[in-house]
Amino acid sequence: QVQLVESGGGLVQAGGSLRLSCAASGFTFSSYNMGWSRRAPGKEREFVATINWGGGSTYYADSVKGRFTISRDNAKNTVYLQMNSLKPEDTAIYYCDAKDRAGGYAYWGQGTQVTVSS
């Protein structure tokens, strides 16, 4: 069974940091581009970051460039999102996903809540 389990969310002050983790199982993790997206209250899901299968190429939404870093460890079937200089606007449920061949979502997890207070 395919599973993506996010962890590491929580409540932080503006300017603080969090590191999200996503543990993957049930598919060939190293063959998939992975990503993070988020859904703020009352809004649609928004792209945050993506990393290619080998980890050598990353791409970020303009809103998080310079603050967030996506990485992966294929030996551990885990993808990470290091979030620094957090802003209240970053408050959202963060989802880990595996990309399909067309760049859409093949799999995604249940999400982890990130709340940034002012």
Side-chain angles (χ1 to χ4, degrees), residues 24-92:
S25 61
F27 66 101
T28 306
F29 178 81
S30 61
S31 295
Y32 284 80
N33 296 340
M34 300 293 294
W36 290 91
S37 61
R38 65 188 182 185
R39 180 174 58 82
K43 297 185 178 180
E44 296 182 5
R45 186 164 59 179
E46 173 190 28
F47 164 77
V48 173
T50 189
I51 186 166
N52 77 325
W53 62 269
S57 181
T58 58
Y59 185 76
Y60 300 90
D62 287 343
S63 59
V64 306
K65 284 182 180 177
R67 300 189 298 120
F68 291 10
T69 302
I70 188 171
S71 61
R72 67 191 296 163
D73 186 340
N74 286 346
K76 296 182 177 181
N77 285 2
T78 303
V79 61
Y80 306 95
L81 185 69
Q82 178 67 46
M83 306 186 296
N84 299 325
S85 301
L86 283 162
K87 304 174 181 179
E89 307 92 88
D90 296 318
T91 295

